[in-house]
Amino acid sequence: MSDRSVAVDEAAGERAAYIHIPFCHRRCPYCDFAVVDLEEEPAVVDRYVDALATEIALEPEWAPLHAINLGGGTPSVLAAGQIERVLEALSARFGIAPGAEVSIEANPEDWTRSHAASLRRLGVNRVSLGVQSFDGDVLRSLGRNHDPRMAVAAVENSSSAGYENVNVDLIFGTPGESVASWCETVATAVQLDARHLSAYALTVERGTALSRAIRAGSPAPDEDDLADKYEELVDMLPSRLIHYEVSNWAEAGSECRYNLTTWAQGEYLGFGLGAHGHRDGVRRRNVRRLDVYLSSIEEKRRPEAGREQLDPWARDKERVFLGLRRRDGVRAGRAGAALWDSEAGRRFARAGVVDLVAGRLVVLEPLLTDAVAREVLALAEPQAG
Amino acid sequence: MSDQTRIRNFSIIAHIDHGKSTLADRLLEATGAVAERDMREQLLDTMDIERERGITIKANAVRLEYLANDGEVYTLNLIDTPGHVDFSYEVSRSLAACEGALLLVDAAQGVEAQTLANAYLAIDSGLEIIPVVNKIDLPSAEPERVAAELLGILGGSQDDVVQVSAKSGSGIPDLLEVIVKRLPPPSGREVAPLRAMVFDSYYDTYRGVVCSIRVVDGAIAKGEHVRFMATDLADAADEIGVLQPEALQVENLATGEVGYLITGVKEIDLIRVGDTVTDAAYPATEGLPGYQEPKPMVFSGLFPTDGDEFERLREALDKLRLNDSSLVYQPETSRALGFGFRCGFLGLLHMEIVRERLEREYDLDLVATAPSVEYEAHLTDGSTVRVRSPQDLPDAQVLADISEPFVKVMIITPSEYVGTVMELVQQRRGRMGEMTYLTPERVELHYEVPLAEIVFDFFDQLKSRTRGYASMDYEPGDYRLSDLVRVNILLNGVPVDAFSSIVHKERAYRYGRAMVERLRKLIPRQLFDVPVQAAVGSRIIARETIKAQRKDVTAKCYGGDITRKRKLLERQKEGKRRMKMVGQVEVPQEAFISALRIDE
Ligand SMILES: Nc1nc2c(ncn2[C@@H]2O[C@H](COP(=O)(O)OP(=O)(O)O)[C@@H](O)[C@H]2O)c(=O)[nH]1
Ligand code: SF4
Ligand SMILES: [Mg+2]
């Protein structure tokens, strides 16, 4: 294993924060995030930003943050001033460590040169662009508001505004997307020289318009098609882009620190509608209803909807389950060793799906990660002695 | 008590749905055995399933008092018979308790295969037969034509045929008169040692075994000691009575009478239907001619879909058997389906009824393996092994040849379908026998066909190819050598017992192909390619591959997702726990079950 894997494990010791900006121009048919329709609630944005600032102030003090992620929804719909308020609140409450990653998710149609530049001036240094595809037909099937030209422009605007790290977010396997179209999309992303690439198989989440359409007879994403496209992607990407997680590639040093923290079972604060946090070994989640969120914040109550604290064994299994998504694998520890010694573990090893290398459990076939994770999570605690 | 000359013991015999139960209801009503307000439809069919399916599966006897036009009161004992081929042995034992029979035919349908089969049984038993045409109220009724068909079988003149509508009641008074006038009274010896025939028995939770009996010679009195001659079992006649149709205890049953008998015997297996009851103190020297025990003809494995239900299945079978001595079963283990029972049935309907009763009355969820017949495997050392399950077939090295049971099939069809029927029978390896024109339009065909070819969908095929016009009946024939092989289904090289089947050599490929295709679709993809093969011995005759699974990963796992993803994976794993391992292959129980259910 490289030194990187160790560096990457250190993400477990970093402190991150996630801020959820729930607003979108309209809901995409495949999306099941906590989303608020901007057209229906334009007036609420300022109130929401105030609430975020209050919620941040309600959180007990912590040390300076290493990674901040403004996610959504569509954070790029916020005005620079609104972003500034949020960042200031974070800085005032916790401090922001020097060299911290400050990342925002943006939809190409919002990512104008001037908007990109003004956010950059506020200290935002990474942008994750919801490009999804460079094929207009695929974008239409996905119900997106932008076209391929806007997507290309958004990447270029990021570079010219001086973003250190630009991520291109892609979706593959949309019914109707050909393999050729997908390869074209990948080639375009590579040409644009993005430092970071996320490529997600289209997933049918329950309760979405997509899942209803499929139940009514529309074509569903196909396992073989998804696997073919994934393999094409792996083959096509240049070596400068290192495959570091199931669906993520980056140049060395440009991995997303916020996400690395997540997969290392590290701690992060979550603010905003439906946001999740993980602090002092407790996972907490916020309410998903906007009115409930706003009113509890305005009454100075934390808008908590639930929390979870795992016992040490379950926690170790969770650590392995999360870490297995990384191509460098995860320090085996108790749960990893238990898997390796189990019947299922032997089956995976024989089939060439997992390996144990220098104390790290590694999934060799990233497309089968869940098969392994399922077995990990089902392990009974080995008796001591 | 009563004098034999005023007793008439008779059955109604008919093809299914020609109106036997309805006619019985009318006779009960007309003789005042039940007041009209108590009349439920099909009073004699007691079991729920019978009511719903409209088939009578247990013979019932009821006593009617009839005031005839001659001013005398007659005792009419109506012995109901089942109307399906699986239960023909029950028909013959009912007939053994009678002197006469009403041969009932639907005026719109005419003579059908079971009409004929039952008529032959009645003729062979020496009964007086009254031809009755039913459903004359139907607009499509053709009573004249149908009467002519009946006379073609029985002889006699148009005047001998009684025409009724069991639905409206028209013709019923005439029919009662004809019963009294034309059917002979019993002619047993009144002064003689008791001889009573047990023509049915059932188990009652509170009273133990209840026997239906027909007194042939002598009389039986309450409290006297009786002996069952075949089993040599002696006990007191604790209770005797008649069904009117509700039970009425009596002090004695005289020569020629029909009623029930309860002794101290609590186990149904100890009572043999067909046995003769005699007086323990003054026994008869010879029993009455009995009849053959029914033999199971069709075998199938029954497995609870939930492995924990095995014991409940055993208890349920034990209980069912109390009233159905023709049901046989023994434990069986299947790699694919777990623990269950190999059960023997009289036929397909019997199998279906048993399964339905188990599922409904005992709330079990079952899966049945494909029905099989009993083969005879002849070994090279000259011995013979009976094979009721494909797994029991000895290895090819020691196997000389295999014979299979044939049945004699009788089919009645409109003549325009003769060609269609012949084609079907030929496809099923049948051999043509006699062919008789009942009328220019209707033909009676006789064939010998392997039972195995009948048990699947022969009946349905016959019905659909003749637009429902043909009817059939069959009786056991002999065993004959056939070119049979066992097709094994292998999953990743491991045989899956539940899918093995003994089939004719020419069918092996088709069976194997169908099965491997079916399983390929039903079994989820695994970590590696899984071959699904059909093999005869070591020769692979069909193959499909379940391609290795390629993608089993959630695309995204972000910070807000961890708990939900973890729980999802845990739930999915829970689902996989219910999988059966066949070698290295994980198979959901549902896949086995669906593969077996597709035949239905
Ligand atoms: N129209 C008409 N229908 C009848 C008559 N007798 C019986 N049926 C109907 O025919 C069907 C079969 O009758 P059922 O007594 O169950 O026949 P089983 O199978 O011989 O016992 C039922 O739907 C009856 O209602 C009749 O005289 N006229
Ligand atoms: S823009 Fe993103 S968050 Fe908003 S609805 Fe579409 S997929 Fe969901
Ligand atoms: Mg009936």
Side-chain angles (χ1 to χ4, degrees):
Chain A
M1 278 302 114
S2 65
D3 295 340
R4 293 220 50 78
S5 50
V6 181
V8 141
D9 278 351
E10 278 165 8
E14 300 211 315
R15 283 175 303 278
Y18 174 76
I19 292 89
H20 189 74
I21 309 297
F23 307 103
C24 292
H25 293 294
R26 63 162 194 244
R27 182 183 281 280
C28 303
Y30 54 89
C31 176
D32 74 336
F33 293 160
V35 163
V36 174
D37 195 319
L38 199 57
E39 258 75 282
E40 282 172 25
E41 307 253 10
V44 88
V45 179
D46 268 328
R47 223 179 124 197
Y48 184 80
V49 173
D50 285 344
L52 276 178
T54 311
E55 192 192 2
I56 291 167
L58 285 172
E59 176 76 22
E61 284 181 16
W62 219 24
L65 304 170
H66 300 108
I68 294 167
N69 183 18
L70 295 154
T74 316
S76 54
V77 302
L78 293 195
Q82 291 168 323
I83 301 274
E84 187 173 17
R85 281 210 62 197
V86 174
L87 293 178
E88 270 172 3
L90 289 168
S91 171
R93 188 66 183 158
F94 313 110
I96 298 176
E101 170 187 282
V102 181
S103 182
I104 190 166
E105 289 171 15
N107 276 354
E109 66 266 32
D110 305 326
W111 204 242
T112 57
R113 185 182 281 252
S114 64
H115 196 43
S118 45
L119 296 194
R120 180 69 196 90
R121 280 194 295 275
L122 297 174
V124 179
N125 52 26
R126 181 179 188 271
V127 61
S128 177
L129 292 168
V131 168
Q132 321 311 4
S133 170
F134 289 106
D135 180 327
D137 291 335
V138 173
L139 287 172
R140 264 186 297 281
S141 311
L142 288 173
R144 304 294 303 198
N145 288 326
H146 65 275
D147 62 26
R149 277 211 342 271
M150 292 180 199
V152 172
V155 180
E156 287 164 358
N157 293 342
S158 312
S159 316
S160 58
Y163 281 81
E164 292 154 27
N165 195 348
V166 179
N167 170 47
V168 170
D169 228 1
L170 300 176
I171 289 180
F172 61 93
T174 304
E177 177 194 58
S178 65
V179 174
S181 153
W182 170 240
C183 292
E184 196 58 37
T185 285
V186 174
T188 308
V190 170
Q191 257 166 33
L192 288 170
D193 234 14
R195 295 235 179 121
H196 192 288
L197 187 81
S198 301
Y200 299 112
L202 177 64
T203 305
V204 183
E205 301 288 355
R206 276 203 299 187
T208 58
L210 177 65
S211 91
R212 284 191 296 277
I214 288 171
R215 234 176 315 132
S218 296
D222 169 78
E223 174 175 341
D224 286 311
D225 179 59
L226 292 171
D228 287 344
K229 288 175 179 164
Y230 187 86
E231 284 165 10
E232 286 290 347
L233 171 69
V234 169
D235 287 349
M236 281 178 72
L237 290 182
S239 56
R240 69 176 170 87
L241 288 173
I242 300 164
H243 194 181
Y244 75 102
E245 191 261 0
V246 173
S247 307
N248 286 281
W249 287 258
E251 289 182 5
S254 294
E255 297 90 348
C256 173
R257 284 167 77 181
Y258 165 73
N259 275 334
L260 285 178
T261 306
T262 309
W263 299 318
Q265 203 181 34
E267 302 212 325
Y268 50 94
L269 307 172
F271 301 109
L273 194 64
H276 288 231
H278 178 214
R279 184 172 175 182
D280 304 326
V282 180
R283 292 197 182 278
R284 274 180 14 209
R285 63 175 198 281
N286 279 351
V287 296
R288 276 174 72 109
R289 264 182 55 188
L290 185 64
D291 54 344
V292 180
Y293 174 78
L294 291 174
S295 59
S296 43
I297 296 284
E298 282 156 13
E299 291 159 23
K300 303 270 184 289
R301 280 187 291 108
R302 284 166 84 170
E304 193 173 300
R307 54 169 66 204
E308 180 181 53
Q309 182 161 25
L310 299 176
D311 65 43
W313 172 243
R315 200 168 157 72
D316 200 46
K317 292 197 291 186
E318 185 194 72
R319 179 186 63 79
V320 173
F321 140 62
L322 291 169
L324 283 175
R325 294 187 64 87
R326 294 203 342 239
R327 301 294 286 120
D328 280 345
V330 62
R331 186 176 53 77
R334 287 187 79 204
L339 178 81
W340 186 251
D341 290 339
S342 70
E343 171 56 39
R346 281 191 287 275
R347 210 166 64 234
F348 288 129
R350 267 200 307 276
V353 176
V354 296
D355 201 0
L356 186 67
V357 185
R360 296 181 77 82
L361 195 64
V362 181
V363 174
L364 304 173
E365 298 285 349
L367 285 180
L368 298 177
T369 304
D370 282 3
V372 182
R374 243 178 244 120
E375 298 297 339
V376 171
L377 293 172
L379 287 168
E381 184 167 10
Q383 293 313 301
Chain B
M1 177 180 153
S2 85
D3 146 17
Q4 281 190 78
T5 59
R6 283 198 264 293
I7 299 176
R8 300 291 182 274
N9 297 320
F10 68 99
S11 283
I12 308 172
I13 53 183
H15 193 77
I16 188 153
D17 280 346
H18 280 203
K20 182 174 38 142
S21 300
T22 311
L23 178 61
D25 287 351
R26 284 301 86 72
L27 294 176
L28 260 66
E29 240 171 48
T31 56
V34 276
E36 226 164 295
R37 68 186 145 75
D38 293 339
M39 193 67 207
R40 308 177 286 168
E41 255 182 70
Q42 312 219 332
L43 201 78
L44 293 185
D45 298 348
T46 45
M47 284 188 243
D48 275 356
I49 286 197
E50 284 181 31
R51 259 170 203 291
E52 276 177 32
R53 296 187 164 221
I55 20 178
T56 314
I57 56 176
K58 204 81 185 146
N60 286 284
V62 62
R63 174 174 174 143
L64 313 172
E65 300 292 342
Y66 171 59
L67 173 61
N69 291 349
D70 64 9
E72 298 281 353
V73 174
Y74 289 83
T75 297
L76 309 184
N77 289 304
L78 166 58
I79 294 163
D80 197 16
T81 57
H84 188 274
V85 59
D86 284 359
F87 302 101
S88 66
Y89 87 101
E90 288 200 23
V91 177
S92 37
R93 75 195 199 192
S94 301
L95 296 183
C98 303
E99 281 76 40
L102 310 184
L103 181 60
L104 189 70
V105 182
D106 186 320
Q109 304 294 325
V111 168
E112 306 258 20
Q114 285 152 36
T115 318
L116 215 51
N118 288 330
Y120 293 153
L121 283 175
I123 292 167
D124 289 349
S125 315
L127 302 194
E128 181 65 34
I129 299 173
I130 301 171
V132 182
V133 174
N134 186 32
K135 308 198 190 181
I136 54 167
D137 59 296
L138 288 177
S140 54
E142 295 182 78
E144 254 67 84
R145 175 181 73 79
V146 172
E149 283 182 7
L150 274 169
L151 295 174
I153 302 160
L154 302 173
S157 74
Q158 282 280 354
D159 299 340
D160 297 334
V161 181
V162 185
Q163 305 208 342
V164 301
S165 164
K167 190 171 183 186
S168 73
S170 96
I172 303 297
D174 282 351
L175 179 59
L176 284 163
E177 279 302 304
V178 172
I179 290 170
V180 166
K181 290 208 188 94
R182 270 205 257 152
L183 296 187
S187 55
R189 289 172 296 158
E190 286 165 24
V191 189
L194 169 68
R195 290 204 302 172
M197 143 120 5
V198 180
F199 64 88
D200 196 8
S201 70
Y202 67 92
Y203 181 80
D204 180 288
T205 326
Y206 302 105
R207 306 196 293 177
V209 180
V210 181
C211 304
S212 297
I213 57 168
R214 154 73 198 268
V215 180
V216 176
D217 294 328
I220 182 170
K222 179 178 173 171
E224 82 177 37
H225 262 73
V226 294
R227 178 181 300 282
F228 293 89
M229 294 182 77
T231 55
D232 208 27
L233 200 73
D235 215 317
D238 292 337
E239 181 180 330
I240 55 177
V242 294
L243 300 169
Q244 295 197 314
E246 65 292 339
L248 174 72
Q249 292 196 33
V250 298
E251 289 305 309
N252 57 62
L253 288 173
T255 314
E257 289 195 305
V258 172
Y260 68 86
L261 161 69
I262 300 173
T263 64
V265 177
K266 297 283 180 230
E267 276 163 76
I268 191 87
D269 283 338
L270 297 178
I271 302 290
R272 197 176 292 166
V273 171
D275 202 350
T276 303
V277 183
T278 191
D279 188 328
Y282 305 98
T285 48
E286 225 179 297
L288 297 159
Y291 23 70
Q292 279 188 331
E293 281 284 307
K295 268 190 21 190
M297 308 248 281
V298 177
F299 300 84
S300 159
L302 287 183
F303 295 84
T305 51
D306 174 356
D308 296 341
E309 299 277 34
F310 173 75
E311 272 311 318
R312 285 220 307 125
L313 174 57
R314 181 201 295 278
E315 282 162 25
L317 284 166
D318 288 348
K319 283 202 188 123
L320 272 195
R321 200 184 135 73
L322 290 176
N323 280 320
D324 185 355
S325 57
S326 54
L327 174 65
V328 299
Y329 49 92
Q330 64 190 63
E332 181 176 62
T333 313
S334 153
R335 191 201 292 267
L337 303 171
F339 294 104
F341 292 91
R342 174 125 300 239
C343 304
F345 307 96
L346 300 174
L348 278 188
L349 181 74
H350 187 211
M351 178 171 107
E352 248 177 74
I353 286 176
V354 167
R355 178 161 159 206
E356 206 173 310
R357 290 189 64 186
L358 289 169
E359 294 200 321
R360 186 182 309 188
E361 294 169 28
Y362 298 91
D363 196 25
L364 290 158
D365 193 15
L366 300 175
V367 48
T369 59
S372 164
V373 301
E374 184 171 84
Y375 296 96
E376 282 179 5
H378 308 289
L379 306 190
T380 44
D381 65 4
S383 63
T384 296
V385 181
R386 305 192 76 81
V387 176
R388 291 179 170 186
S389 163
Q391 288 92 271
D392 298 343
L393 191 71
D395 283 345
Q397 301 95 289
V398 295
L399 192 61
D401 43 42
I402 308 173
S403 23
E404 66 178 326
F406 274 65
V407 289
K408 297 178 198 155
V409 180
M410 171 176 50
I411 295 170
I412 293 184
T413 177
S415 35
E416 73 228 65
Y417 294 115
V418 168
T420 317
V421 171
M422 285 200 183
E423 196 182 291
L424 172 65
V425 171
Q426 254 151 33
Q427 283 169 9
R428 302 304 173 99
R429 301 189 284 128
R431 294 169 210 196
M432 177 75 194
E434 256 175 81
M435 169 161 155
T436 317
Y437 277 83
L438 293 170
T439 62
E441 294 83 34
R442 283 160 70 81
V443 187
E444 176 186 342
L445 298 160
H446 290 261
Y447 296 99
E448 289 177 318
V449 186
L451 176 60
E453 298 284 347
I454 300 276
V455 296
F456 286 98
D457 60 345
F458 187 86
F459 185 65
D460 295 339
Q461 283 292 324
L462 180 71
K463 281 285 178 196
S464 77
R465 294 188 192 197
T466 62
R467 296 161 179 264
Y469 282 117
S471 60
M472 68 169 271
D473 198 280
Y474 66 83
E475 55 175 328
D478 44 14
Y479 272 75
R480 300 207 191 136
L481 286 182
S482 285
D483 214 349
L484 298 167
V485 294
R486 179 177 60 200
V487 180
N488 288 324
I489 305 296
L490 310 165
L491 204 55
N492 203 29
V494 178
V496 185
D497 48 19
F499 298 120
S500 303
S501 185
I502 296 174
V503 297
H504 191 259
K505 210 169 177 177
E506 283 165 15
R507 291 291 163 72
Y509 175 75
R510 210 201 303 161
Y511 175 81
R513 181 101 296 262
M515 225 52 204
V516 299
E517 276 172 17
R518 199 175 284 179
L519 287 171
R520 185 195 31 90
K521 291 193 192 121
L522 287 167
I523 295 175
R525 296 162 76 164
Q526 313 276 315
L527 288 175
F528 44 89
D529 281 1
V530 175
V532 188
Q533 296 159 302
V536 171
S538 58
R539 197 164 53 86
I540 304 297
I541 57 170
R543 177 190 165 117
E544 286 279 326
T545 304
I546 302 168
K547 285 291 192 192
Q549 183 178 33
R550 293 182 62 198
K551 180 179 169 295
D552 181 5
V553 66
T554 34
K556 221 182 240 194
C557 182
Y558 56 96
D561 223 14
I562 292 174
T563 302
R564 195 166 65 119
K565 287 272 144 67
R566 200 194 75 232
K567 287 187 172 156
L568 176 69
L569 291 168
E570 283 169 351
R571 260 202 319 281
Q572 289 169 344
K573 173 68 190 173
E574 218 26 66
K576 283 176 181 279
R577 268 190 222 290
R578 290 194 298 272
M579 303 238 183
K580 303 250 156 141
M581 293 300 291
V582 175
Q584 296 288 317
V585 182
E586 285 179 337
V587 186
Q589 172 100 359
E590 298 77 47
F592 288 125
I593 294 169
S594 317
L596 287 167
R597 285 200 173 147
I598 285 172
D599 287 326
E600 290 180 5

